[in-house]
């Protein structure tokens, strides 16, 4: 089959079109004929190499897959061959104490499709049957592939971890990212007032279109100062951060008393410095979060399928142009998801 991947870690030039064998399905797997696969920042890090990540080469990236079932393992009764599906990219053992509690992202065996195992930059990918959800008949593959990772991540952050309530104020950093476009919509859907930041006026305009109420251009003013002024020195109830040390101390300064900072990444580095005294005195919660449980994935995808939440597609590229697609993502030019289509 045709795929795009790399034989060694490195820059964009390491990505190449490959001719590799079709994956062989295990008893509980399905083989999916990929029709669309969305990019994530994770794809760039995996290509460049992550500490402790040892991959079989060549490696095929791609976490967010939509397509139709082409073959099934011997123990699989559903989905059947021909069913159109989207896939939860979080892979889990299903047997440990955390999986038994339905907290699959805490599974010690937790893996992500395309990070630890071969992903969706290909004509075919194998995934566990239990990770699939069926697409409504009129639902497009490109939109379906744009949803899973960012919507499940934002859903767990806001609904499960930060427990947002109607009437609360939620600050979402970096409005153009996939997680942010999902978080803005989920917070709005939950009845919150949404603040969004970006350095780009154009991205802020798009953020407003998908539900952001208060726009902060962080190239004009530090966002913590802006929040302090816009809330008459109260602060916001919840901050959604995925940036890390570059924003973490400011995010904490944006929080009101009893506020929650929920974060799902540390793009700008591993260590942050902040004043502990301010956070304990004001009763702040600092909540780590990653990916979602299968239940959370199914809950948020049901809202996507009912059009209550809308995947934001920046641009689609054919699979063969994966390098151009990754370059656009690396330059942070996008608003929403960049998607590969597989003919
Ligand atoms: Zn487990």
């Amino acid at each position: 089959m045709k795929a795009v991947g790399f034989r060694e870690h490195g820059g964009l030039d390491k990505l190449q079109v490959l001719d590799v064998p079709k994956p062989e399905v295990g008893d509980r797997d399905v083989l999916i004929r990929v029709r669309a696969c969305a990019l994530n920042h994770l794809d760039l890090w995996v290509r460049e190499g992550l500490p402790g990540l040892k991959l079989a080469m060549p490696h095929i990236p791609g976490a967010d897959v939509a397509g139709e079932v082409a073959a099934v393992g011997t123990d699989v009764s559903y989905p059947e061959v021909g069913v159109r599906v989207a896939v939860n990219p979080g892979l889990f053992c299903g047997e440990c104490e955390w999986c038994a509690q339905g907290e699959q992202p805490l599974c010690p065996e937790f893996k992500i499709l395309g990070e630890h195992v071969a992903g969706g930059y290909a004509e075919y990918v194998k995934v566990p049957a239990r990770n699939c959800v069926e697409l409504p008949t009129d639902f497009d593959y490109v939109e379906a592939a744009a949803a899973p990772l960012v919507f499940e991540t934002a859903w767990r952050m806001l609904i499960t971890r930060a427990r947002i309530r109607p009437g609360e104020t939620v600050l979402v950093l970096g409005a153009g990212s996939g997680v942010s476009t999902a978080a803005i919509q989920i917070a709005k859907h939950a009845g919150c007032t949404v603040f969004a930041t970006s350095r780009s006026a154009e991205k802020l305009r798009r953020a407003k279109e998908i539900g952001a109420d208060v726009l902060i251009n962080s190239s004009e003013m530090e966002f913590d100062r802006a929040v302090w002024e816009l809330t008459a020195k109260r602060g916001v109830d919840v901050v959604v951060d995925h940036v890390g040390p570059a924003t973490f101390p400011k995010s904490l300064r944006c929080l009101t008393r009893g506020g929650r900072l929920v974060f799902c990444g540390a793009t700008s580095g591993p260590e942050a410095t902040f004043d502990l005294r301010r956070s304990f005195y004001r009763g702040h919660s600092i909540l780590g979060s990653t990916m979602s449980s299968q239940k959370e994935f199914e809950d948020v995808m049901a809202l996507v399928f009912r059009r209550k939440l809308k995947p934001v597609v920046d641009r689609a590229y054919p699979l063969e142009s994966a390098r151009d697609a990754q370059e656009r993502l690396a330059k942070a030019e996008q608003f929403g998801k960049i998607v590969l289509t597989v003919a």
Side-chain angles (χ1 to χ4, degrees):
M1 69 169 184
K2 184 161 54 178
V4 171
F6 50 86
R7 296 184 188 280
E8 56 181 6
H9 292 292
L12 283 166
D13 58 319
K14 300 297 181 193
L15 276 184
Q16 51 188 255
V17 178
L18 304 167
D19 183 16
V20 293
K22 258 193 221 179
E24 284 183 28
V25 292
D27 295 345
R28 297 177 183 181
D29 295 332
V30 296
L31 184 72
I32 294 177
R33 174 64 172 90
V34 181
R35 295 300 177 182
C37 178
L39 271 61
N40 289 282
H41 257 282
L42 182 64
D43 305 0
L44 309 185
W45 295 323
V46 169
R47 190 197 70 232
E48 286 158 11
L50 285 166
L53 181 66
K54 288 256 179 272
L55 296 174
M57 295 292 179
H59 179 74
I60 301 167
D64 275 325
V65 169
E68 70 259 8
V69 176
V72 303
T74 50
D75 293 349
V76 175
S77 54
Y78 191 86
E80 297 148 359
V81 170
V83 172
R84 302 165 73 248
V85 296
V87 179
N88 173 8
L91 309 174
F92 48 92
C93 83
E95 285 160 15
C96 70
E97 62 176 292
W98 292 278
C99 285
Q101 293 165 16
E103 288 287 331
Q104 290 92 359
L106 308 183
C107 176
E109 304 287 313
F110 194 77
K111 294 181 174 67
I112 299 176
L113 187 68
E115 178 181 6
H116 308 86
V117 300
Y121 287 25
E123 289 178 300
Y124 294 90
V125 65
K126 73 166 177 181
V127 300
R130 65 187 177 199
N131 283 53
C132 296
V133 288
E134 185 168 345
L135 302 185
T137 44
D138 59 343
F139 210 88
D140 177 66
Y141 283 128
V142 169
E143 262 195 296
L149 190 144
V150 293
F151 273 92
E152 72 172 56
T153 299
W155 183 262
R156 180 170 173 86
M157 290 175 86
L158 288 166
I159 304 298
T160 308
R161 302 290 284 140
R163 296 171 170 267
I164 53 172
R165 296 182 293 271
E168 288 195 313
T169 43
V170 176
L171 170 67
V172 179
L173 301 187
S177 83
V179 168
S180 297
T181 57
I184 289 167
Q185 293 184 64
I186 291 166
K188 191 72 183 174
H189 181 75
C192 298
T193 299
V194 183
F195 292 56
T197 75
S198 176
R199 297 188 165 278
S200 150
E202 171 61 16
K203 288 183 182 180
L204 287 172
R205 189 187 65 74
R206 303 280 307 272
K208 189 176 172 69
E209 282 177 3
I210 59 169
D213 300 288
V214 183
L215 309 175
I216 298 171
N217 190 325
S218 47
S219 71
E220 292 169 0
M221 189 195 273
E222 291 295 340
F223 72 83
D224 53 338
R225 228 184 92 212
V227 166
W228 216 234
E229 287 183 9
L230 289 163
T231 61
K233 299 184 181 178
R234 178 192 181 269
V236 293
D237 297 296
V238 172
V239 178
V240 175
D241 194 330
H242 48 80
V243 183
T247 53
F248 216 83
K250 289 182 208 163
S251 293
L252 284 168
R253 283 201 294 274
C254 290
L255 286 182
T256 191
R257 293 162 189 273
R260 295 91 79 197
L261 168 58
V262 60
F263 69 110
C264 66
T267 316
S268 57
E271 290 178 16
T273 305
F274 56 90
D275 188 339
L276 291 165
R277 296 168 297 183
R278 183 184 164 90
S279 280
F280 80 73
Y281 188 71
R282 289 169 180 256
H284 292 164
S285 300
I286 298 174
L287 305 165
S289 192
T290 192
M291 303 295 284
S292 83
S293 68
Q294 185 63 24
K295 169 79 165 57
E296 288 157 344
F297 169 70
E298 289 170 12
D299 287 349
V300 76
M301 290 303 284
L303 290 172
V304 169
F305 294 153
R306 285 167 53 204
R307 312 268 180 199
K308 300 289 183 190
L309 302 170
K310 189 166 170 39
V312 179
V313 177
D314 172 72
R315 194 178 288 188
Y317 292 81
L319 174 65
E320 296 77 7
S321 302
R323 184 192 153 141
D324 294 342
Q326 283 205 355
E327 187 170 19
R328 180 169 172 79
L329 182 62
K331 289 182 177 167
E333 287 170 347
Q334 85 288 357
F335 185 88
K337 302 298 287 179
I338 299 169
V339 183
L340 301 175
T341 54
V342 186

